[in-house]
Amino acid sequence: MAGESTPTGRTRTVLVIDTATDTVVTGIGRITTTAGAPECHVVAVRAVADGRRHAEILTSLIAEVLEESGVGRDGIDAVVVGTGPGPFTGLRVGMATGAGFGDALDIPVFGVCSLDAIAHDVGRVSAPGATVLALTDARRREVYWALYRDGGHTRTRGPEVSAPGVVAEILSDSGVDAVGGSAAHLRQSGWGGDDPAITVPSVAGLLGAAAIAVTGGQSPPPLLPLYLRRPDAVERKDQQPKKVGAS
């Protein structure tokens, strides 16, 4: 039941979506407001690594998590959607789907930086107060990244898109304790520690990063995708039309 009351406070049922990486992530979670910090519980999850079929599989995965969790569409109180940074085509699939659910059900939609979700997850499995770097593949031999303190809870720089060499300087200067994201691209960027346990945004990380906003009682701001650069395909306004039959 949407917004049901529990002995410890109000519980909000949340649909979670992220398509900022090659892995399509969706799930159902619940956030319970208590006397202390919001408590997050993951009910159902789907994560499928298929960067070419975001639009084809996302709706089916959402239907699966709704069925598994026993939550009807009218039982959803809010939507949390990853806003990137990420490639234009994949990212807009998740954001458009999240916005569509919010509009159809008249419920709030909260955007979360997908790197924040990774950092939040890394913080849960790292030493308290760790400095965290979250990094994902931006293609074109570049990476998306952001830097955090307080165990991944406070972003101090980013999100940015840079060559791996730029991130290598950040790693050497910032005393990074833990990382999350693409292991291969972290290696290219100079990370010499263990491979990350957290490689993509998760339902738990997205819920945790959005929990305070979801339970705060304020209307969320408009969704803004973090593309960080223009899409690969853009209209060439200066291109002259070709004449039919011209040699």
Side-chain angles (χ1 to χ4, degrees):
M1 178 178 178
E4 64 183 1
S5 296
T6 71
T8 55
R10 183 185 175 191
T11 295
R12 294 167 175 82
T13 300
V14 182
L15 171 65
V16 180
I17 298 169
D18 189 280
T19 56
T21 70
D22 283 346
T23 299
V24 179
V25 175
T26 189
I28 298 294
R30 292 193 171 97
I31 305 175
T32 301
T33 305
T34 64
E39 296 181 2
C40 300
H41 305 277
V42 176
V43 180
V45 172
R46 293 292 185 278
V48 177
D50 191 339
R52 299 179 181 274
R53 299 176 59 235
H54 288 76
E56 295 178 41
I57 65 177
L58 178 57
T59 302
S60 296
L61 296 179
I62 291 174
E64 290 179 14
V65 296
L66 288 171
E67 181 177 3
E68 180 180 326
S69 62
V71 175
R73 296 194 177 206
D74 59 351
I76 301 172
D77 298 300
V79 179
V80 168
V81 59
T83 59
F88 179 83
T89 302
L91 184 57
R92 68 178 177 178
V93 168
M95 295 190 66
T97 302
F101 266 87
D103 184 62
L105 300 175
D106 194 25
I107 56 177
V109 182
F110 296 86
V112 173
C113 172
S114 302
L115 294 175
D116 289 0
I118 292 175
H120 190 277
D121 253 355
V122 172
R124 292 192 300 112
V125 297
S126 303
T131 297
V132 175
L133 176 78
L135 180 151
T136 57
D137 179 16
R139 303 173 185 173
R140 304 185 197 173
R141 299 182 180 178
E142 292 182 317
V143 292
Y144 298 121
W145 63 275
L147 191 66
Y148 303 80
R149 60 177 172 83
D150 301 332
H153 288 88
T154 304
R155 190 185 334 137
T156 58
R157 184 169 173 182
E160 298 182 24
V161 58
S162 307
V166 173
V167 181
E169 295 179 4
I170 299 298
L171 283 168
S172 64
D173 295 340
S174 301
V176 172
D177 302 303
V179 297
S182 168
H185 293 87
L186 282 161
R187 293 292 182 195
Q188 292 175 9
S189 302
W191 174 248
D194 294 337
D195 283 348
I198 310 300
T199 58
V200 296
S202 72
V203 171
L206 290 156
L207 272 178
I212 293 177
V214 172
T215 59
Q218 302 296 319
S219 297
L223 287 177
L224 293 176
L226 296 168
Y227 294 131
L228 301 190
R229 63 187 179 200
R230 300 181 70 184
D232 291 327
V234 296
E235 181 181 1
R236 294 182 58 187
K237 296 183 179 180
D238 59 344
Q239 182 174 340
Q240 297 297 318
K242 296 180 179 180
K243 295 181 180 180
V244 177
S247 58

